[in-house]
Amino acid sequence: MPSRFALACWCLLAGSWLSGTPAFAQDAAAESEPAAVADPAELAFEQGRWEDAISEYREILAAYPEDRLSLLRIAQAQRELGRYDEALATLEQARTANAPEAMIDFERARNLALLHRDDESLASLDAADHNGLRALTLVEQAHELDGYRTSSRFQRVYRNVRARVYPCEGMEAANAFDFWVGRWEVRMPDGTLVGTNTISKRDGGCSIQERWEGAGGSSGTSLSFYLPSRGEWRQVWTGSGGTFFDITGKPDSGTMHMEGTLEYADTHQVVAFRGTWKQGPDGRVRQRLEEFDLAAQTWIVWFDGFYQRLD
């Protein structure tokens, strides 16, 4: 639902368009105008001016009765003001207006908890979960629910919400490369230090980022991720020396093996490429990368290093 300010801006733009004002003239006029201000209702809410927020959202509802979200915002402001029964009544109005069911039930749980109606509060949490609640940050930070956090019902809801937001965390195959995660010192087979590598899980466990820092000043970055539709991993690398590779593969008995192509920026040459990562019994990880030598028609070592944890 657009705010009153957004609608006003739209009307101004529409008026300029209908008047036939050239686009470049509109741009020049826009540059001379003051910057847009935040919507009064949202600004009041963000600043914690709860009474002002309620008044502003009621004005929006008066102009746009079909708005679904203003009632939810009003209920949240009422809760902040300690008017829990009023908030519960407003939430029922929001339900009638078809506001998001999951957030209505979650807000009900918060108010009911503050009223010490624990069974009803937990039932509302269950209902929010049933309706597909995804507000993970709110679930983690809502202080009203602190008394329930160790209960099995709350833990179940929390796991379900987290699984919706971060589905990769629950995929066993998406964790197959975790043995490479960490901060490492990297040495050649003869013990020569060649650099450090920081491997971190990101994006809710859906990707693994590599940040390579070579002892001689080189650098490189790779992103690895699991593709459920293919049942395989993919890694894309870019290096400061103008090297790029794109490889895919699957783990096998604790070893990750991928194959694809390597490209050189300076020569535009593209060759077959493959890599293997294997964790040894001492915890070290060996990374061996090979490219196919077209002239010799054989595989040659591109990189071979042993990873020793620094943390």
Side-chain angles (χ1 to χ4, degrees):
M1 173 59 58
S3 67
R4 288 166 297 159
F5 177 79
L7 286 171
C9 290
W10 182 90
C11 291
L12 288 171
L13 291 172
S16 298
W17 175 70
L18 291 170
S19 69
T21 306
F24 68 84
Q26 295 178 32
D27 292 341
E31 290 179 1
S32 64
E33 293 176 356
V37 295
D39 176 83
E42 286 298 304
L43 184 61
F45 193 91
E46 290 172 5
Q47 293 178 345
R49 293 185 286 110
W50 307 119
E51 292 287 6
D52 291 341
I54 291 171
S55 297
E56 294 289 348
Y57 282 119
R58 290 204 184 282
E59 286 190 28
I60 293 176
L61 282 170
Y64 308 102
E66 71 277 14
D67 177 43
R68 301 185 308 151
L69 299 180
S70 289
L71 283 166
L72 186 57
R73 282 300 213 193
I74 290 170
Q76 291 170 326
Q78 289 170 332
R79 172 176 49 76
E80 293 289 348
L81 289 168
R83 290 156 31 188
Y84 310 132
D85 288 317
E86 285 184 41
L88 288 170
T90 302
L91 288 170
E92 291 312 307
Q93 293 177 331
R95 195 187 302 276
T96 302
N98 294 317
E101 289 277 353
M103 284 305 300
I104 291 171
D105 288 320
F106 182 70
E107 277 297 315
R108 276 182 50 80
R110 299 176 77 173
N111 282 280
L112 290 166
L114 290 164
L115 290 168
H116 306 292
R117 292 158 62 178
D118 296 336
D119 289 340
E120 293 175 82
S121 176
L122 287 167
S124 290
L125 274 179
D126 288 336
D129 180 26
H130 177 75
N131 285 312
L133 182 66
R134 298 178 60 88
L136 179 61
T137 300
L138 288 179
V139 174
E140 291 177 334
Q141 297 180 358
H143 66 86
E144 304 89 355
L145 307 177
D146 287 349
Y148 307 147
R149 296 192 183 278
T150 59
S151 72
S152 59
R153 290 179 71 178
F154 181 90
Q155 288 295 316
R156 182 181 65 251
V157 170
Y158 177 77
R159 287 193 301 270
N160 292 342
V161 174
R162 189 172 185 91
R164 291 186 195 102
V165 178
Y166 299 132
C168 294
E169 288 185 346
M171 297 180 187
E172 184 178 353
N175 300 316
F177 216 170
D178 284 5
F179 66 85
W180 196 36
V181 173
R183 179 160 170 77
W184 308 86
E185 177 183 82
V186 186
R187 296 182 179 272
M188 300 287 282
D190 65 3
T192 301
L193 178 67
V194 290
T196 59
N197 216 348
T198 301
I199 318 296
S200 56
K201 294 199 78 169
R202 303 179 64 85
D203 306 315
C206 288
S207 68
I208 292 179
Q209 184 184 66
E210 171 187 11
R211 296 182 63 86
W212 165 259
E213 298 176 9
S218 64
S219 64
T221 303
S222 78
L223 190 68
S224 305
F225 47 93
Y226 176 67
L227 296 166
S229 63
R230 302 180 186 179
E232 65 183 16
W233 278 79
R234 181 178 181 185
Q235 183 178 112
V236 180
W237 156 276
T238 60
S240 60
T243 55
F244 318 97
F245 62 71
D246 189 345
I247 54 179
T248 58
K250 300 179 180 181
D252 181 24
S253 301
T255 300
M256 182 66 73
H257 181 76
M258 301 190 208
E259 297 184 356
T261 57
L262 166 69
E263 181 171 346
Y264 290 96
D266 52 354
T267 64
H268 297 194
Q269 184 183 30
V270 180
V271 298
F273 194 71
R274 65 188 185 188
T276 301
W277 293 257
K278 184 174 184 178
Q279 186 174 35
D282 59 357
R284 292 190 305 165
V285 173
R286 185 175 188 177
Q287 179 188 35
R288 183 177 174 87
L289 305 174
E290 300 173 297
E291 67 174 296
F292 191 75
D293 188 315
L294 294 172
Q297 288 293 294
T298 188
W299 290 96
I300 61 174
V301 175
W302 193 78
F303 178 84
D304 191 5
F306 286 85
Y307 286 63
Q308 180 70 45
R309 288 190 182 276
L310 291 173
D311 53 9

